[in-house]
Amino acid sequence: MTYRNDLPVCKDCENRFGSIFKNISEVDILKLSEFKCVKIYKKGQNIFLENSQSEGIYCINKGKVKLYKYDKYGNVQILRLAKEGDLIGYRSLIVGEHYNATATAMEDSVICYISKNIFFALLRSNPELSVNLMKLLSDKLKTAENHMVSISLKNVRERVAETILLIKDFWGEGEDGTLLCDLKREEMAQFTGTATETFIRFLSEFKNDKVIDLIGKKIKILNYEALEKIRSDD
């Protein structure tokens, strides 16, 4: 990881208008740019570790991040994925806890770090920022609850279909229709909450049923309706 203080500039950041910082004043935007720290992470580098002290928040300018935990057996469970414009580490900072997960860059990433003091000062001076933060917390809580329900109530076949659709929404598709996803099969299985071999078996099953196609390591969705039906109730 390296530190940079010359880029990006908050007032020129396109991601800002889709984030909780979209309504803050120009004065505070300049203050944010002055006091934040830009960090460059290589693919595979940790941004923060589970149980480490929370001292600030991270805003992803470029790149993608996975947040995950280890269970008591040493298995990885990916909790969520984050990309450009997303904040990570804010929940632990707000409640004064250590980070409850590890965050790792999935590709080379540019991430802005905002210290605790600066972030709380912005919250105090910007009521709309506080409201936006509450909306973000509520939205992420809903997403986490839905993911927990999926893991506990859906069978593995349904969860594999759901993972493919979530990957499509997160990464998008290329010109050839394949999903623009750098996750390994093992990581997809970790997000699904199943063994890698089981995940691969269902991918093969979906291919045989012409629901998806597998082009090398890439996935191409052929039948969205069928995949949605499998995800919903099979």
Side-chain angles (χ1 to χ4, degrees):
M1 176 194 61
T2 57
Y3 293 81
R4 296 280 293 275
N5 290 311
D6 57 333
L7 64 100
V9 178
C10 293
K11 68 181 181 64
D12 299 326
C13 180
E14 295 180 358
N15 296 328
R16 174 167 69 93
F17 300 101
S19 76
I20 65 171
F21 299 109
K22 59 185 177 183
N23 302 123
I24 68 175
S25 68
E26 291 300 315
V27 172
D28 282 332
I29 281 292
L30 292 175
K31 184 186 299 183
L32 189 58
S33 273
E34 180 182 359
F35 290 105
K36 77 179 183 191
C37 182
V38 180
K39 302 183 180 184
I40 314 298
Y41 294 88
K42 294 294 185 181
K43 180 179 180 179
Q45 280 191 303
N46 291 326
I47 299 158
F48 54 77
L49 299 173
E50 182 179 358
N51 294 322
S52 62
Q53 183 64 46
S54 173
E55 298 291 350
I57 65 169
Y58 298 80
C59 185
I60 303 172
N61 178 258
K62 293 181 181 178
K64 295 178 176 60
V65 173
K66 63 179 179 180
L67 291 98
Y68 58 95
K69 295 173 68 73
Y70 290 93
D71 64 20
K72 62 181 180 180
Y73 303 107
N75 300 314
V76 172
Q77 174 65 58
I78 295 179
L79 304 177
R80 72 180 182 98
L81 305 173
K83 59 183 178 180
E84 292 85 353
D86 286 340
L87 292 180
I88 58 174
Y90 55 88
R91 192 204 66 83
S92 299
L93 182 70
I94 291 168
V95 298
E97 295 179 349
H98 291 73
Y99 293 119
N100 73 331
T102 295
T104 300
M106 293 189 292
E107 59 189 42
D108 292 353
S109 301
V110 179
I111 300 178
C112 299
Y113 174 77
I114 305 166
S115 70
K116 176 180 178 178
N117 291 339
I118 295 300
F119 184 61
F120 283 168
L122 287 172
L123 285 176
R124 286 191 294 269
S125 62
N126 291 270
E128 287 188 333
L129 178 59
S130 298
V131 172
N132 291 340
L133 181 60
M134 285 190 290
K135 290 179 179 178
L136 176 64
L137 286 166
S138 298
D139 180 63
K140 295 306 179 185
L141 176 59
K142 179 181 178 180
T143 300
E145 289 174 343
N146 289 340
H147 191 54
M148 288 174 62
V149 169
S150 174
I151 293 293
S152 60
L153 298 182
K154 291 180 181 290
N155 62 43
V156 177
R157 188 167 187 262
E158 293 167 346
R159 298 204 308 268
V160 171
E162 183 170 65
T163 294
I164 294 170
L165 290 167
L166 289 173
I167 287 172
K168 183 262 179 185
D169 290 340
F170 186 81
W171 264 279
E173 298 171 307
E175 293 183 0
D176 61 355
T178 59
L179 303 185
L180 297 172
C181 174
D182 291 330
L183 286 179
K184 299 176 182 177
R185 294 291 190 259
E186 179 184 14
E187 293 173 308
M188 294 181 188
Q190 290 166 354
F191 191 73
T192 306
T194 191
T196 305
E197 296 78 10
T198 303
F199 188 89
I200 292 172
R201 176 165 58 84
F202 278 110
L203 286 183
S204 298
E205 180 182 310
F206 291 169
K207 179 179 180 180
N208 292 336
D209 293 341
K210 301 189 184 308
V211 176
I212 65 169
D213 192 13
L214 300 176
I215 303 171
K217 295 182 179 180
K218 296 288 187 179
I219 299 173
K220 182 176 183 178
I221 300 175
L222 301 177
N223 191 330
Y224 283 95
E225 287 189 5
L227 205 57
E228 285 281 6
K229 186 175 186 302
I230 295 169
R231 171 169 73 169
S232 300
D233 56 14
D234 202 17

